[in-house]
Every structure is written in C-alpha cells, then in structure tokens.
C-alpha cells in the first residue's frame, strides 16, 4: 500500500491510501494554515479509522509542488521522516502529473514506487523563488 499526502494547498490536506488493485480510502481535511499542527494527527487518525498499520505501507507518495512554501515544506518533511522511520521509499509527485482518473493515478503511483529507493528523499518544487518579507 502507498500512503499519499497532498499538502500543496494551504486550505486543505489530502490523505489517501492506494492498494495494488484498488483505491482504498481518501480523506480531505479542511484547514487554514495549520499543517504543522494537523498533518501527523490526521494521518494517525486516518490509519486508525481504516484499521491500517503504518508498517503495512510499502511506500509514501507526497505532492512535491508547486505549492505554498510552508505547506509543501511541512508535508514533504513529514513524508521523508515517516519513510525514514518505516524504512520504506518515499517519492514526490508534481501537480502536473496528476490525473483525475483514480485507476490511472493509482497505476502511476505504483510505477513510481517501483523506481523509488529507500534513503532518497523528496525535495520541494515551489514553482517560484520564495517571497519572504519582514513585517512592517
């Protein structure tokens, strides 16, 4: 099974699990700029609600961009850390690679998982240079 995380938007988090032959579960968490507080507890709750164990995951897919600076950074850091702790591969998925067809997307994820290697981490693709300013 692949855990899929999308934190590219500041208003929501998408958590899903894909199994080999079927799209298992999907959860949309509506939030507003609180990814760091909500992501891990929602992943934990999602797995518990669906009677899934983190150890049963074979890989983690995370949206690598483009997207908001903080939301991407939090999602990718979480995915990289979980993959490291579980000793499974993690790989990034760019928003341009998305397809609305769940079956094709699931097949795409498993093809990417085949190429993914443990110990190789995802880097964010912000889409533009960060615009960080000081408060006035």
């Amino acid at each position: 099974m692949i855990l899929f995380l999308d934190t590219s938007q500041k208003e929501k988090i998408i958590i899903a699990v894909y199994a080999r032959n079927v799209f298992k579960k999907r959860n949309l968490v509506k939030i507003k700029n609180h990814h760091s507080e909500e992501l891990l507890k929602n992943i934990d709750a999602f797995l518990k609600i669906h009677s899934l164990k983190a150890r049963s995951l074979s890989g983690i897919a995370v949206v690598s961009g483009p997207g908001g600076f903080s939301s991407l950074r939090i999602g990718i850091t979480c995915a990289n850390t979980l993959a490291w702790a579980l000793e499974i591969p993690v790989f990034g998925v760019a928003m341009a690679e998305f397809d609305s067809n769940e079956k094709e997307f699931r097949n795409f994820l498993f093809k990417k998982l085949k190429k993914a290697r443990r110990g190789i981490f995802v880097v964010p693709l912000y889409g533009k240079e960060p615009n960080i300013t000081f408060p006035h």
Side-chain angles (χ1 to χ4, degrees):
M1 286 189 297
I2 297 173
L3 175 66
F4 173 76
L5 303 174
D6 180 357
T7 61
S8 62
Q9 300 176 46
K10 63 182 177 181
E11 303 86 21
K12 66 181 177 181
I13 296 171
I14 297 174
I15 302 168
V17 172
Y18 292 86
R20 255 304 161 207
N21 297 319
V22 67
F23 163 67
K24 286 287 242 185
K25 310 285 180 192
R26 182 180 205 103
N27 189 32
L28 172 65
V29 180
K30 293 185 180 187
I31 59 168
K32 184 71 173 172
N33 296 324
H34 296 282
H35 288 71
S36 60
E37 298 168 27
E38 298 294 328
L39 184 56
L40 278 175
K41 71 179 178 183
N42 276 283
I43 292 171
D44 184 52
F46 175 83
L47 293 174
K48 284 179 182 172
I49 287 168
H50 299 296
S51 302
L52 301 170
K53 302 278 185 210
R55 289 279 172 202
S56 65
L57 298 172
S58 53
I60 299 174
V62 61
V63 173
S64 55
F69 179 80
S70 293
S71 57
L72 277 180
R73 181 176 49 84
I74 291 162
I76 291 171
T77 300
C78 180
N80 285 336
T81 304
L82 281 172
W84 176 81
L86 295 169
E87 298 179 339
I88 58 176
V90 60
F91 57 94
V93 177
M95 291 298 283
E97 295 176 293
F98 275 66
D99 188 333
S100 59
N101 180 322
E102 287 289 345
K103 183 178 178 183
E104 288 178 24
F105 185 64
R106 183 193 69 233
N107 292 337
F108 166 77
L109 290 178
F110 277 97
K111 284 179 188 172
K112 285 198 80 145
L113 177 61
K114 256 186 171 173
K115 296 176 185 177
R117 300 287 171 250
R118 283 187 348 194
I120 305 296
F121 298 108
V122 178
V123 214
L125 307 167
Y126 296 116
K128 61 182 178 180
E129 289 298 313
N131 181 14
I132 301 169
T133 59
F134 293 102
H136 299 288

